[in-house]
Amino acid sequence: MVSAAPGERGAFVTPAARERLLAGVEAAGEAVMAIYRRPFDVETKADDSPVTEADLCAHHALVDLLGEVTPEVPVLSEESEDVPYATRRTWQRYWLVDPLDGTKEFIRRSGDFTLNVALIEDGVPTFGLVHAPTLGVSWFGQLGEGAWRREAGETRAIGVRPLPDPAFEAWRVMGSRSHGLSALASFLERLPCHALVSRGSSLKLCLVAEGSADLYPRFGPTSEWDTAAAQAVVTAAGGQVLDAGSLKPLRCNRQDSLLNPAFIACGERDPRWERALAESLVEGD
């Protein structure tokens, strides 16, 4: 891999490295599926969130993969030991990994879980790869290069869709199954004609990226590793992932906490949903 100069965001991952990463993440997904198909134990972490053998299996596989492809770049995974902000703030470039986004969905065997790998440069997700093992689909995107969907060995370019006229076609809104439901309801009641689709994990962001959905507002808690890879895909596909309060792009590694604010992913900005979002946030205060 040839590294980009410090100011050239998005050029760090070469096409050859991208293929190595895709193959490695998809192989990790196969290992996760082998666990998914059999009985497995569930443990509880210090923050009361669940963790399974599959989380740890994917963690080790992805950390090893990134160490082989870019040994000079640090890796921060949800299942890593905590890295103090005093150390993280010195990282100009690093990998941010959620080995298994949607662990609760994995435990329920709903199928809505993903493996997520993002490259962060100066706080910006510039490359992201999201793999959904049960679907056999990978989404990936790179700043300045574009975004793609790969399934059954075939890769096609993807992009967000223009926001339709709701008088003729309902806006497609993605929603969480279990977080921020009252704020989501407040937001939805202020929108013009729309259809709500509930899915788990970072799949919701990927559906915005490929033009299958228009909006994904998220009011419940998320961490940077939950969103960074799919944010890169959305951005590379022509959309945006914005802080719900400021409507500025989400950024990573800007504070000690790795928690995100409420956010919205969109294919296109529009005063109607922006007003609905602002009003729902005020109502929730």
Side-chain angles (χ1 to χ4, degrees), residues 77-136:
S77 165
E78 180 179 8
E79 306 308 333
S80 300
E81 294 183 2
D82 290 340
V83 179
Y85 182 55
T87 299
R88 288 190 283 109
R89 67 187 302 178
T90 66
W91 294 350
Q92 179 194 4
R93 177 184 289 131
Y94 67 100
W95 291 105
L96 184 57
V97 176
D98 190 345
L100 192 62
D101 182 34
T103 299
K104 291 180 180 178
E105 302 290 343
F106 182 89
I107 294 167
R108 296 186 193 113
R109 288 188 164 85
S110 76
D112 279 5
F113 56 88
T114 56
L115 284 66
N116 300 264
V117 174
L119 181 69
I120 311 300
E121 299 183 83
D122 296 322
V124 178
T126 60
F127 171 82
L129 198 171
V130 177
H131 177 57
T134 59
L135 302 177

Side-chain angles (χ1 to χ4, degrees), residues 187 215-218 240-242 244 247 262-266 273 277:
F187 173 71
L215 297 170
Y216 167 38
R218 175 70 183 217
Q240 299 182 72
V241 181
L242 306 169
L247 292 183
F263 67 84
I264 187 164
C266 63
W273 70 250
L277 181 64

Side-chain angles (χ1 to χ4, degrees), residues 13-233:
V13 179
T14 65
R18 200 161 61 206
E19 285 301 316
R20 288 181 65 189
L21 292 170
L22 275 163
V25 172
E26 289 171 357
E30 292 176 5
V32 164
M33 286 303 295
I35 298 170
Y36 185 68
R37 296 187 185 102
R38 62 169 171 76
F40 53 83
D41 293 329
V42 180
E43 298 181 4
T44 302
K45 297 192 288 188
D47 63 358
D48 288 331
S49 63
V51 63
T52 70
E53 179 185 348
D55 295 80
L56 301 178
C57 171
H59 162 75
H60 291 297
L62 297 178
V63 170
D64 289 349
L65 171 68
L66 295 169
E68 294 169 4
V69 177
T70 56
E72 74 280 16
V73 179
V75 180
L76 179 64
S77 165
E78 180 179 8
E79 306 308 333
S80 300
E81 294 183 2
D82 290 340
V83 179
Y85 182 55
T87 299
R88 288 190 283 109
R89 67 187 302 178
T90 66
W91 294 350
Q92 179 194 4
R93 177 184 289 131
Y94 67 100
W95 291 105
L96 184 57
V97 176
D98 190 345
L100 192 62
D101 182 34
T103 299
K104 291 180 180 178
E105 302 290 343
F106 182 89
I107 294 167
R108 296 186 193 113
R109 288 188 164 85
S110 76
D112 279 5
F113 56 88
T114 56
L115 284 66
N116 300 264
V117 174
L119 181 69
I120 311 300
E121 299 183 83
D122 296 322
V124 178
T126 60
F127 171 82
L129 198 171
V130 177
H131 177 57
T134 59
L135 302 177
V137 177
S138 295
W139 294 266
F140 55 104
Q142 191 164 349
L143 193 67
E145 298 287 335
W148 301 269
R149 185 185 198 270
R150 183 155 94 169
E151 182 176 11
E154 295 187 0
T155 301
R156 63 175 177 87
I158 59 172
V160 299
R161 73 171 190 163
L163 195 61
D165 183 341
F168 298 97
E169 183 179 357
W171 291 355
R172 303 172 191 164
V173 183
M174 303 305 300
S176 172
R177 287 187 172 130
S178 54
H179 297 285
L181 299 181
S182 62
L184 176 62
S186 176
F187 173 71
L188 293 173
E189 72 182 14
R190 291 171 165 83
L191 291 183
C193 182
H194 64 275
L196 177 66
V197 180
S198 296
R199 296 294 299 269
S201 75
S202 56
L203 288 172
K204 298 182 286 291
L205 288 142
C206 293
L207 293 175
V208 172
E210 70 175 28
S212 297
D214 300 302
L215 297 170
Y216 167 38
R218 175 70 183 217
F219 299 99
T222 59
S223 295
E224 292 175 5
W225 47 60
D226 296 316
T227 56
Q231 179 180 351
V233 178

Side-chain angles (χ1 to χ4, degrees), residues 9 122-125 224 231 248-254 260:
R9 285 181 184 166
D122 296 322
V124 178
E224 292 175 5
Q231 179 180 351
K248 294 180 178 179
L250 283 190
R251 291 290 181 262
C252 297
N253 204 28
R254 288 294 185 257
N260 288 320

